[in-house]
Amino acid sequence: MKALLSNIRISPDKANLVAGMVRGEMVNAALEQLSFTPKKGAKILYKVIASAAANAEHNLKQNRDTLYIKEIVVSKGPTYKRGVSVSRGRVHPILKRTAQIRVTVDVKASAPAKTAKAKKTPSKPSSTN
């Protein structure tokens, strides 16, 4: 239950900033949050998370409401090297960085029922004056 996006034209640092917001969240909550985030990486990450959720629904017959984001890995891809001409025939380099994004979703196991045990509170020592 994963999706991979390779060689996307965004810096890995900028994509990882947005990925940190939704790590460990439920898929529906993460998609809602990303849809209102005004960053380029949010739109890209939205598509990858939606794709991973669709893979889980279609291939493994999972319910979208029980899925959570298990892992988001943003690593760097190839860097495109460009240049801008400056005075005296020189060239300043421009590095156009790319990223690779891997999203893994999993089914959230229901929490086990907690037993109601009375906690012992330490008694205050009596003060003698």
Side-chain angles (χ1 to χ4, degrees), residues 6-108:
S6 297
N7 304 337
I8 190 70
R9 262 291 293 129
I10 188 171
S11 168
D13 293 335
K14 293 179 182 179
N16 203 19
L17 181 71
V18 177
M21 293 187 334
V22 294
R23 276 193 181 96
E25 296 279 329
M26 296 299 286
V27 168
N28 289 335
L31 293 177
E32 175 99 12
Q33 186 176 5
L34 289 173
S35 65
F36 293 108
T37 304
K39 293 261 187 201
K40 176 182 176 180
K43 187 175 182 181
I44 294 167
L45 212 58
Y46 183 96
K47 290 182 179 183
V48 182
I49 293 171
S51 175
N55 289 341
E57 283 181 303
H58 184 265
N59 297 339
L60 301 174
K61 307 294 187 254
Q62 299 296 327
N63 185 4
R64 188 179 206 142
D65 296 332
T66 62
L67 296 176
Y68 77 103
I69 299 172
K70 183 177 182 181
E71 174 181 64
I72 298 179
V73 178
V74 179
S75 56
K76 65 180 194 177
T79 301
Y80 301 147
K81 287 148 178 101
R82 303 290 184 259
V84 60
S85 300
V86 292
S87 63
R88 298 183 184 182
R90 292 175 297 179
V91 176
H92 286 175
I94 295 177
L95 301 178
K96 295 179 178 271
R97 301 186 189 279
T98 62
Q100 297 176 348
I101 302 172
R102 186 178 74 231
V103 175
T104 306
V105 297
D106 202 1
V107 177
K108 187 76 148 184

